[in-house]
Amino acid sequence: MTAIGTLTTHHVGLNVTDLDRSLAFYGDVLGFETLGRGAEGDSHFAFLGQGGRLVLTLWQQADTAYASGSAGLHHLAFEAESLDHVRAAEAALTARGATFAYEGVVAHREGAASGGIFFHDPDGTRLEISVPKGAEGAEAPSESAPTCGFF
Protein backbone atom coordinates (compact mmCIF):
# COMPACT_ATOMS: atom_id res chain seq x y z
CA MET A 1 0.00 0.00 0.00
CA THR A 2 1.31 3.46 -0.90
CA ALA A 3 1.66 5.98 1.92
CA ILE A 4 -0.69 8.93 1.68
CA GLY A 5 2.03 11.50 2.34
CA THR A 6 1.55 14.92 3.86
CA LEU A 7 -1.94 16.38 3.61
CA THR A 8 -2.83 20.05 4.04
CA THR A 9 -6.21 21.73 4.16
CA HIS A 10 -7.19 22.92 0.71
CA HIS A 11 -10.41 24.71 1.67
CA VAL A 12 -13.33 24.41 4.07
CA GLY A 13 -16.96 24.28 2.99
CA LEU A 14 -19.68 25.73 5.21
CA ASN A 15 -23.43 25.38 4.91
CA VAL A 16 -25.20 28.72 5.34
CA THR A 17 -28.83 29.81 5.45
CA ASP A 18 -28.43 33.05 3.45
CA LEU A 19 -25.60 33.22 0.92
CA ASP A 20 -25.75 36.99 0.36
CA ARG A 21 -25.64 37.70 4.11
CA SER A 22 -22.71 35.31 4.58
CA LEU A 23 -20.87 36.77 1.57
CA ALA A 24 -21.17 40.22 3.12
CA PHE A 25 -19.82 38.93 6.44
CA TYR A 26 -16.90 36.90 5.08
CA GLY A 27 -16.10 39.45 2.37
CA ASP A 28 -16.75 42.86 3.91
CA VAL A 29 -15.76 42.00 7.48
CA LEU A 30 -13.11 39.29 7.13
CA GLY A 31 -11.69 40.40 3.79
CA PHE A 32 -12.21 37.32 1.64
CA GLU A 33 -12.69 37.94 -2.06
CA THR A 34 -15.39 36.18 -4.06
CA LEU A 35 -13.61 33.97 -6.59
CA GLY A 36 -16.81 32.60 -8.11
CA ARG A 37 -20.52 32.05 -7.58
CA GLY A 38 -23.00 29.58 -8.91
CA ALA A 39 -26.11 27.53 -8.40
CA GLU A 40 -26.99 23.92 -8.83
CA GLY A 41 -30.68 23.19 -8.38
CA ASP A 42 -31.77 24.81 -5.11
CA SER A 43 -28.19 25.03 -3.81
CA HIS A 44 -26.38 28.34 -4.29
CA PHE A 45 -22.66 28.53 -3.60
CA ALA A 46 -19.68 30.86 -3.60
CA PHE A 47 -15.94 30.31 -3.60
CA LEU A 48 -13.97 32.68 -1.35
CA GLY A 49 -10.25 33.21 -1.16
CA GLN A 50 -7.31 35.52 -0.66
CA GLY A 51 -4.74 36.34 -3.30
CA GLY A 52 -6.58 34.12 -5.77
CA ARG A 53 -6.20 31.06 -3.50
CA LEU A 54 -9.40 29.21 -2.55
CA VAL A 55 -9.91 29.15 1.24
CA LEU A 56 -13.62 28.77 1.89
CA THR A 57 -16.77 27.69 0.07
CA LEU A 58 -20.21 28.76 1.22
CA TRP A 59 -23.22 26.60 0.36
CA GLN A 60 -26.73 27.97 0.83
CA GLN A 61 -28.40 24.67 1.59
CA ALA A 62 -29.00 24.81 5.35
CA ASP A 63 -32.45 25.28 6.85
CA THR A 64 -31.26 26.02 10.38
CA ALA A 65 -28.38 27.75 12.12
CA TYR A 66 -25.18 26.02 13.24
CA ALA A 67 -25.73 23.46 16.00
CA SER A 68 -22.75 23.05 18.33
CA GLY A 69 -24.15 19.79 19.73
CA SER A 70 -24.20 18.04 16.35
CA ALA A 71 -21.37 16.00 14.89
CA GLY A 72 -19.18 17.88 12.43
CA LEU A 73 -17.40 21.20 12.60
CA HIS A 74 -16.42 22.37 16.11
CA HIS A 75 -14.95 25.69 14.97
CA LEU A 76 -13.01 27.16 12.10
CA ALA A 77 -9.73 28.90 12.95
CA PHE A 78 -7.84 31.41 10.85
CA GLU A 79 -4.26 32.51 11.58
CA ALA A 80 -3.49 36.22 11.32
CA GLU A 81 -0.13 37.82 10.52
CA SER A 82 0.07 39.71 13.81
CA LEU A 83 -1.82 40.62 16.95
CA ASP A 84 -2.50 44.03 15.36
CA HIS A 85 -4.36 42.23 12.57
CA VAL A 86 -6.37 40.27 15.15
CA ARG A 87 -7.32 43.52 16.88
CA ALA A 88 -8.30 45.07 13.51
CA ALA A 89 -10.55 42.08 12.86
CA GLU A 90 -12.02 42.48 16.34
CA ALA A 91 -12.83 46.15 15.62
CA ALA A 92 -14.46 45.27 12.27
CA LEU A 93 -16.49 42.49 13.89
CA THR A 94 -17.57 44.73 16.76
CA ALA A 95 -18.70 47.40 14.30
CA ARG A 96 -20.69 44.71 12.48
CA GLY A 97 -22.38 43.59 15.73
CA ALA A 98 -20.77 40.14 15.81
CA THR A 99 -21.23 37.94 18.86
CA PHE A 100 -18.03 37.07 20.74
CA ALA A 101 -17.44 34.06 22.99
CA TYR A 102 -14.91 36.00 25.12
CA GLU A 103 -14.18 39.67 25.57
CA GLY A 104 -11.10 40.85 23.68
CA VAL A 105 -8.01 38.84 22.82
CA VAL A 106 -7.56 35.78 25.01
CA ALA A 107 -4.67 33.32 25.29
CA HIS A 108 -5.19 29.73 24.17
CA ARG A 109 -4.33 28.71 27.73
CA GLU A 110 -2.83 30.55 30.69
CA GLY A 111 0.73 31.71 29.94
CA ALA A 112 0.55 30.77 26.26
CA ALA A 113 2.07 33.03 23.61
CA SER A 114 -0.72 32.10 21.19
CA GLY A 115 -4.21 33.52 21.34
CA GLY A 116 -6.87 35.45 19.55
CA ILE A 117 -10.55 36.26 19.28
CA PHE A 118 -13.47 33.85 19.23
CA PHE A 119 -16.73 34.83 17.59
CA HIS A 120 -19.72 33.64 15.55
CA ASP A 121 -20.73 34.17 11.93
CA PRO A 122 -24.33 35.12 11.00
CA ASP A 123 -25.41 31.46 11.21
CA GLY A 124 -23.73 30.90 14.57
CA THR A 125 -20.71 28.99 13.21
CA ARG A 126 -17.86 29.34 15.68
CA LEU A 127 -14.81 31.14 14.28
CA GLU A 128 -11.38 32.03 15.62
CA ILE A 129 -8.70 34.43 14.42
CA SER A 130 -5.45 33.92 16.28
CA VAL A 131 -1.68 34.31 16.20
CA PRO A 132 0.98 31.77 17.27
CA LYS A 133 2.82 34.40 19.33
CA GLY A 134 2.22 37.86 20.72
CA ALA A 135 -0.60 37.12 23.15
CA GLU A 136 1.66 36.45 26.14
CA GLY A 137 -0.03 39.13 28.28
CA ALA A 138 -3.59 38.03 27.53
CA GLU A 139 -5.59 36.14 30.12
CA ALA A 140 -7.10 32.76 29.34
CA PRO A 141 -10.65 31.69 30.19
CA SER A 142 -9.23 28.37 31.44
CA GLU A 143 -5.81 27.77 33.01
CA SER A 144 -4.98 24.40 31.46
CA ALA A 145 -7.52 23.51 28.80
CA PRO A 146 -7.41 25.14 25.37
CA THR A 147 -9.69 28.16 25.05
CA CYS A 148 -11.11 26.89 21.78
CA GLY A 149 -12.27 23.73 23.53
CA PHE A 150 -14.80 25.72 25.55
CA PHE A 151 -15.96 27.75 22.60
Side-chain angles (χ1 to χ4, degrees), residues 16-107:
V16 300
T17 58
D18 183 326
L19 184 61
D20 289 329
R21 179 182 69 175
S22 293
L23 277 171
F25 179 82
Y26 285 95
D28 298 344
V29 179
L30 298 184
F32 288 102
E33 60 188 286
T34 301
L35 302 176
R37 274 185 88 147
E40 194 168 302
D42 291 337
S43 293
H44 298 266
F45 56 90
F47 302 107
L48 304 178
Q50 290 183 323
R53 182 182 168 275
L54 179 63
V55 175
L56 188 64
T57 60
L58 302 176
W59 294 87
Q60 183 178 307
Q61 57 189 23
D63 295 327
T64 60
Y66 174 81
S68 62
S70 297
L73 182 73
H74 181 271
H75 74 284
L76 175 57
F78 298 105
E79 185 175 307
E81 295 174 43
S82 70
L83 197 55
D84 287 340
H85 287 98
V86 173
R87 292 190 196 286
E90 179 185 19
L93 290 160
T94 299
R96 180 72 175 221
T99 304
F100 290 84
Y102 310 107
E103 188 174 329
V105 172
V106 295

Side-chain angles (χ1 to χ4, degrees), residues 102-125:
Y102 310 107
E103 188 174 329
V105 172
V106 295
H108 280 130
R109 69 184 164 280
E110 201 59 43
S114 62
I117 56 173
F118 298 80
F119 57 99
H120 301 88
D121 80 357
D123 283 307
T125 301

Side-chain angles (χ1 to χ4, degrees), residues 3-24:
I4 293 173
T6 302
L7 299 176
T8 61
T9 302
H10 180 267
H11 71 276
V12 174
L14 296 178
N15 283 332
V16 300
T17 58
D18 183 326
L19 184 61
D20 289 329
R21 179 182 69 175
S22 293
L23 277 171

